[in-house]
Amino acid sequence: MSSRGLLLAIALGALLALARWQPALAFDEEHNFAGSAQIDYHVVPSEPGSAVAPSPYTTFQGFTFEAALKVAVDISEHLSANVKACYGCHGFEMDMAYFDLRAADELNLRVGRFSPSFGAFNLRHDPANHMTSDKPLPYDMGRMLRKGDWNNGVLPAPFPTNGAELDGTHWIGNTAQLDYAGYVVMAFKNDTDPDPTDLNFQESHLNDYLTSDPRPAAGSRLALTLKAGDRADITLGASGMFGTYDPNDRLTYAIVGGDFALRVGRTALRMEYLVRRQQMDVTNPDIFKYAIAPVDGDFFAKHGAYAEVEQPVTDALDLLARADGMYRVGNVSNAAVGSGNETAAYSPLSYRSWVARETLAIAYAVERNLRFKGSLELWEFSYPDQAGRETELSFHVGAVGSF
Amino acid sequence: MTARLLLVPSLALVAALVACGGSSSESEVASTPAARADYDVFALRCSKCHSLARPLNSGIDDDGYWRAYVAKMRRQPGSGISAEDSVAILRFLHAYSVEQRKRKGKTVDPP
C-alpha cells in the first residue's frame, strides 16, 4: 500500500470511529477563562543597536509586553472549544481558535487554528508557564541578540496556523504514557520576496486567511513518558514537519527534533534539539554572499539546542540554568527576509556561523499569580559585530501574572 | 552615597516582597500525612506544565468540574498523570474546595 493510501485508510478509520459514539444526553456546559500578561525590560549594556544602524543588527531593548486571554468551553462530553487571543510584538493575533472532537483518550480530532504538536516546549510557550522572560534559542521569536542576522530561531514559538490534527494519548498501566499526533496545516510561507530564501515568520503568523501557497505542510509527533517511581518521570519525544513555503510550492523546508525531559521531584532537566533544512531560491545569484555551489547549493541547515535545569528552592522561589545555541551552515542571502528588497545590506553571517548563550535565571512568586523574573545572559557569537564584539551580556527583569 | 541611597530602598522592597511571597493556604488543607501525600501528588504533577496558581486561584470549588478538568489535564501529552494520580489529585482538590467554600461562607456538602 502506498503511503498516501495508508494515510487515507488511517483518516477514514478515525472518521468512522469518531462517527460511532453518541453524545451524552445530559451535560453541563463548562467554561474556563484564563489569561496571562508579561512585561519585560531587556538591557544590553553594550548597546548593539547603536553599533550599526539600521538592521540587520536588530536587538530589542527596553520594555516588551505580551498578553493573552483564553476561553475554553466543554460543549459536551466529547466536544470542546478553545479560543486564545494574544497581544504582542505583532499586535493582536489569534493564537488558538479550535474545536476538539474526542472519541476516546486515544482519538481526538482538532480542527481550526492552533500550534501543531512539535517538540516539548510548545506546551509551555505561554510566559506564565516558563521561568525566563525569553524562550530557548531554538524557539526564539524576536528577543535574541542580532535577531536580524539569524531570522529568529529554528522554529519560533508559538507557531499558530490553520489546519487539522489527529492526536491522542494512551496509558499503559500506571507507568507509561504514549502520545501521538499527526497533522496537516498551512504552516510557514514567504509570499513577499521575489526570490524567497527563508521563511517569513511574521507573514506566516498574520496573513493566514488567504494564501497563494495552497499546499499544506504535514507533520507528526510521538512521545513516551515513563514514570520511574512516585516522584520521577522521563519523557522522550520525536517530532517532524515538512512543507513548501513559496507561492509555487517549489521550495521545501523540513524540521525535525528530539526532546528529553527528566523530572525528579520538582527538579526538571530538559533537553531539546531541532534542525531545519531550508531550500532557497538561487535563481538570482546576486543576492548571495557566496557563489552558488553547483551541488547542494540551494539550502541551508539551522541547528538549535538547549539544556536547562529548573530547581524550585521554596514554594515561591525557582532557579534556572540554561545553555542554548544555534549553528547555521549554508550560503547566506544578503536580501533581508520579508523586505522584498534585494539590495538590502551585507549579512555578517558566514557559511558556518554559531551563537551560544548561557543563562542564569530567578523567578519569585510574590503572590501565587504574580511572579517576578530576572535573568543574566552571556552571549557568544562566531563573528564580530562592527564594533568588533563577539561576546555580549544582557539582562532581563520582568513580571508575569496569570489567572 | 547615591548608590547607598538606592540600595536601602531596594533592599527594603526585596524584604517586603519576600515577606509576602509564597502564600500557602493549601498547606492548611494538607495538615495530615494522608492529605499531605495527596497535595504532594497534586503539586508534583500539576506543576509540570503550569504554576499551581492556575488551579488554586481559579475560584472553582465544584467537584464535578474538577473531575472533568483533571481528566482533561490527564489527556495532555506527557502529563504523567496516571489514573492513580487522578484519585489523589481529586481528593486534594475536594478538600481544598471545601476549605474555600467555608471561607466564602458557602454551604459544605457532607463527605
Side-chain angles (χ1 to χ4, degrees):
Chain A
M1 185 186 275
S2 69
S3 58
R4 186 172 288 185
L6 184 65
L7 276 174
L8 192 64
I10 292 170
L12 280 174
L15 283 174
L16 280 171
L18 285 165
R20 276 189 61 192
W21 56 261
Q22 296 294 315
L25 291 175
F27 182 85
D28 290 334
E29 188 171 289
E30 300 284 6
H31 298 76
N32 186 271
F33 189 58
S36 67
Q38 173 176 282
I39 187 151
D40 177 55
Y41 191 75
H42 188 201
V43 186
V44 190
S46 56
E47 296 188 8
S50 66
V52 174
S55 6
Y57 285 79
T58 40
T59 292
F60 282 151
Q61 291 200 71
F63 283 111
T64 55
F65 178 76
E66 55 190 297
L69 288 173
K70 181 184 170 187
V71 180
V73 184
D74 291 326
I75 300 158
S76 76
E77 215 173 310
H78 296 279
L79 183 65
S80 61
N82 283 268
V83 177
K84 184 177 180 183
C86 301
Y87 174 78
C89 293
H90 303 168
F92 284 99
E93 206 176 317
M94 193 60 80
D95 188 34
M96 295 176 183
Y98 64 81
F99 285 88
D100 273 334
L101 180 62
R102 185 176 55 80
D105 288 359
E106 289 79 5
L107 188 60
N108 177 65
L109 176 65
R110 178 167 294 181
V111 288
R113 183 168 178 78
F114 55 90
S115 288
S117 297
F118 192 107
F121 183 74
N122 199 13
L123 267 181
R124 296 182 296 111
H125 79 263
D126 190 289
N129 295 342
H130 55 263
M131 295 298 165
T132 49
S133 298
D134 52 4
K135 302 176 181 106
L137 271 178
Y139 291 107
D140 180 83
M141 196 202 305
R143 284 202 170 86
M144 72 175 289
L145 270 58
R146 308 189 192 182
K147 79 177 189 72
D149 303 349
W150 288 83
N151 191 22
N152 301 299
V154 179
L155 176 60
F159 32 91
T161 185
N162 306 337
E165 177 177 292
L166 205 61
D167 56 42
T169 188
H170 177 69
W171 271 91
I172 304 160
N174 274 315
T175 54
Q177 182 184 15
L178 185 67
D179 303 304
Y180 80 91
Y183 49 84
V184 281
V185 290
M186 291 312 299
F188 303 108
K189 59 185 179 173
N190 186 334
D191 294 347
T192 310
D193 293 331
D195 308 303
T197 56
D198 203 351
L199 309 177
N200 185 335
F201 293 112
Q202 190 155 346
E203 182 191 322
S204 303
H205 271 235
L206 294 180
N207 299 330
D208 251 351
Y209 188 71
L210 288 174
T211 175
S212 56
D213 171 17
R215 188 180 296 173
S220 62
R221 172 164 172 79
L222 191 66
L224 179 68
T225 300
L226 294 169
K227 290 178 76 172
D230 289 340
R231 297 186 58 77
D233 60 57
I234 297 168
T235 301
L236 279 166
S239 313
M241 190 192 298
F242 178 84
T244 55
Y245 70 98
D246 65 313
N248 300 316
D249 284 327
R250 197 168 45 84
L251 302 171
T252 64
Y253 62 90
I255 312 171
V256 294
D259 52 273
F260 168 83
L262 168 67
R263 207 151 181 267
V264 180
R266 291 176 68 179
T267 304
L269 166 68
R270 306 184 187 101
M271 290 190 268
E272 281 201 71
Y273 165 77
L274 285 77
V275 59
R276 171 157 50 94
R277 186 190 190 279
Q278 177 86 52
Q279 271 193 323
M280 305 180 283
D281 185 337
V282 292
T283 51
N284 181 3
D286 294 342
I287 64 169
F288 288 96
K289 188 170 180 177
Y290 306 107
I292 306 297
V295 178
D296 288 343
D298 66 342
F299 75 91
F300 69 84
K302 194 193 269 189
H303 305 254
Y306 74 91
E308 67 181 21
V309 178
E310 191 178 298
Q311 176 64 58
V313 180
T314 68
D315 282 349
L317 183 67
D318 292 88
L319 301 178
L320 182 137
R322 179 193 291 152
D324 53 3
M326 291 197 291
Y327 171 66
R328 186 192 182 284
V329 58
N331 205 341
V332 179
S333 163
N334 282 327
V337 173
S339 67
N341 175 11
E342 292 183 22
T343 59
Y346 154 87
S347 170
L349 297 184
S350 57
Y351 194 84
R352 296 176 190 277
S353 300
W354 56 263
V355 51
R357 176 177 70 170
E358 289 89 42
T359 302
L360 282 175
I362 185 168
Y364 185 75
V366 63
E367 277 277 333
R368 275 198 204 115
N369 293 59
L370 182 64
R371 182 184 288 150
F372 288 97
K373 296 175 171 180
S375 58
L376 166 65
E377 298 176 344
L378 174 65
W379 298 77
E380 294 165 85
F381 292 88
S382 62
Y383 59 97
D385 66 4
Q386 288 202 351
R389 285 184 296 258
E390 293 184 356
T391 305
E392 309 261 16
L393 263 181
S394 72
F395 304 88
H396 286 274
V397 181
V400 63
S402 64
F403 61 91
Chain B
M1 188 60 192
T2 314
R4 280 187 189 174
L5 281 174
L6 282 172
L7 188 65
V8 172
S10 303
L11 285 174
L13 178 65
V14 169
L17 291 174
V18 169
C20 48
S23 54
S24 59
S25 64
E26 67 274 15
S27 61
E28 293 166 22
V29 174
S31 53
T32 65
R36 182 76 209 177
D38 289 344
Y39 170 75
D40 285 346
V41 175
F42 159 81
L44 184 68
R45 296 295 165 211
C46 300
S47 66
K48 187 171 183 180
C49 302
H50 56 74
S51 83
L52 296 181
R54 294 265 195 204
L56 293 176
N57 283 6
S58 64
I60 297 161
D61 54 17
D62 178 77
D63 288 347
Y65 188 97
W66 281 128
R67 266 195 300 277
Y69 210 79
V70 170
K72 186 187 256 189
M73 292 296 106
R74 185 172 173 257
R75 290 193 290 269
Q76 290 292 320
S79 70
I81 302 174
S82 65
E84 216 170 50
D85 294 334
S86 300
V87 176
I89 292 169
L90 285 170
R91 257 198 318 259
F92 166 74
L93 288 171
H94 169 75
Y96 186 75
S97 296
V98 167
E99 192 60 35
Q100 296 304 303
R101 289 177 72 85
K102 278 183 193 164
R103 286 187 181 197
K104 291 176 198 165
K106 289 185 181 176
T107 54
V108 178
D109 297 330

